[in-house]
Every structure is written in C-alpha cells, then in structure tokens.
Amino acid sequence: MWDEFNIKTFDAETVVYRDGVFCPELSTIVGTDFRQNFPRPIHIIYVGEIAGNCRLDVNIFVQNQPVFLSARIKNKKPAFFNIFIKNAGKNSEFRGHVMMTNQNDLQFACSAEHLTSDTTILVDTKLIAERNSISKLVATAKIEKNCENANSDIRFSALADKTARMEFLPAQRISAVPNMANHGASVYRPNAPQIEYLRSGGLSGSEVDDALREAFMNDFSLF
C-alpha cells in the first residue's frame, strides 16, 4: 500500500477497498460493522479511483476499540463519496484521514454520530482541487443526548488551482456536553519563499508542484 498509494500500514486488522471494491485478499477481516472486539486496532484502507456513487459505512458497537481510516482517492469522472460513521462503543475511537484529488466534479459527504458517552470521532479531509474542477464537501458531526465527554473534530483543507470551484460545509450538532467539539475549513496557498526555497534546491516547476502537494497531503495533526 505504501509503494502503490503512499498509505502507511501498521500492526492492525485490515479492511481494504480498491477503486470502491472490497479486496478480501488484502483484508484480515470482513466488513466495517464492528460488533466484537479485536485485540489489535482496525485499519480501514480505501484507495484508488472512484466514479459514480460510492459509500462507506463504519459502525462501532463495542467498547475500547480503536478504528483508523486511511482514504486516498481521486476521480476523473463525476463522483459522489459518502462516509457514514456511528460510534456506540464507550471509550472507542475513530480517526480518519481522507485525501482526495478532484479532476472533475466531486461531492463528498461525511456523517459522524456519537451514540454513547466517551466516544471519539476525528475526521481530517484534505482536497487537491485540479484545474476547472468543482468540489462540494459537507460534513456533520452529531453528539446525541446523554452522550457526554465526546471528542469530535471535523475539518477540511484544500490546495486548489485558481480556476477550481469549491464549497465547504463542516458542522457540529451538539445535544450533550462534549469534552471537545471542533470543525473548520481552510485553503492552503504556497507562498513565494516556499517556492523559491524548493527551486534553489534544483527542482523544476513540476517537481516543486509535486513536492508541495505531497507535503500538503501528509501534514495531518489529528493523529
């Protein structure tokens, strides 16, 4: 996964999807509906090229279970990517990195629900918006009643061509006192000193662009 998609793996149970299709030969467990505890963390890997409607459901119903998502996708045709996360496991946590490259028309929607107390859902979504692309990113985290001490963070960031069109809508709906609840959106623009520094090292224009993209995609702060 590292060589093909620049995805870091670790000692975990794995659930792997390539181009939106489940890959049993690369997975150690089946499905993303977790109703039993695993002694190791769970790593969901969702990689490749997508088109049309794609959906990923992650349901955690057990306590003390860490679940990680690494999604690295791109689209050349119109695509709609939905992620639905439900955490009903006390002291269980979901941490997601979603990395998307949009070359066409992309709609992304993430729904994250805290269904018991002491749950964690953190989702960091990064977008590279190519020339003339259209992107709409929507995410809503819900902390239901009697679900105190939740840790919730939903955030977007983008590295975009000047001709790209983008709309970001992150939100939190809170019905119980959380431990932490954040949401945000930002657009990254490389500055002149950064570009000059890379060029002074002998990189060409295209190599500078590649280096900036790679640095942007791999700069995560949630975990």
Side-chain angles (χ1 to χ4, degrees):
M1 284 299 168
W2 175 257
D3 292 336
E4 187 174 358
F5 295 103
N6 195 16
I7 293 290
K8 295 180 181 179
T9 55
F10 48 90
D11 185 27
E13 304 293 344
T14 56
V15 183
V16 180
Y17 294 83
R18 177 186 274 115
D19 300 331
V21 179
F22 174 65
C23 299
E25 71 279 7
L26 298 175
S27 305
T28 62
I29 57 177
V30 177
T32 54
D33 194 53
F34 305 120
R35 297 178 182 270
Q36 68 179 70
N37 278 105
F38 293 91
R40 300 190 295 174
I42 297 167
H43 191 191
I44 304 167
I45 302 170
Y46 198 105
V47 290
E49 188 171 318
I50 63 170
N53 293 322
C54 300
R55 174 171 175 150
L56 177 65
D57 289 86
V58 181
N59 300 311
I60 306 170
F61 294 103
V62 291
Q63 298 184 18
N64 305 305
Q65 182 65 62
V67 179
F68 300 88
L69 168 67
S70 297
R72 192 167 191 131
I73 61 174
K74 63 180 179 180
N75 71 304
K76 297 179 181 179
K77 298 179 181 179
F80 196 166
F81 186 32
N82 286 292
I83 299 178
F84 295 92
I85 306 155
K86 293 182 178 180
N87 192 345
K90 189 172 183 178
N91 297 319
S92 290
E93 61 179 40
F94 176 94
R95 297 173 182 257
H97 289 166
V98 181
M99 300 159 277
M100 303 184 293
T101 301
N102 180 23
Q103 299 179 1
N104 196 291
D105 187 344
L106 174 65
Q107 295 186 59
F108 171 74
C110 178
S111 173
E113 295 185 65
H114 299 259
L115 299 177
T116 193
S117 61
D118 301 284
T119 51
T120 295
I121 302 177
L122 312 176
V123 184
D124 196 350
T125 301
K126 289 184 176 291
L127 168 72
I128 292 179
E130 301 280 14
R131 183 176 177 81
N132 296 321
S133 62
I134 302 172
S135 307
K136 182 175 182 179
L137 279 60
V138 179
T140 303
K142 299 178 182 178
I143 302 175
E144 302 290 357
K145 293 181 179 179
N146 302 317
C147 297
E148 294 81 9
N149 301 318
N151 293 296
S152 180
D153 197 318
I154 301 290
R155 66 179 69 173
F156 298 136
S157 56
L159 176 64
D161 185 87
K162 292 181 180 179
T163 63
R165 294 167 51 193
M166 299 179 297
E167 182 179 2
F168 291 167
L169 296 170
Q172 295 272 0
R173 297 181 181 176
I174 301 171
S175 300
V177 178
N179 182 53
M180 179 268 289
N182 298 320
H183 66 277
S186 61
V187 177
Y188 168 67
R189 300 286 187 192
N191 57 47
Q194 290 174 318
I195 295 171
E196 287 303 317
Y197 176 79
L198 292 171
R199 285 180 175 172
S200 68
L203 298 183
S204 66
S206 61
E207 289 172 330
V208 167
D209 289 342
D210 290 342
L212 290 170
R213 288 181 175 212
E214 195 63 27
F216 169 74
M217 277 295 195
N218 290 307
D219 180 23
F220 284 100
S221 58
L222 290 182
F223 66 89

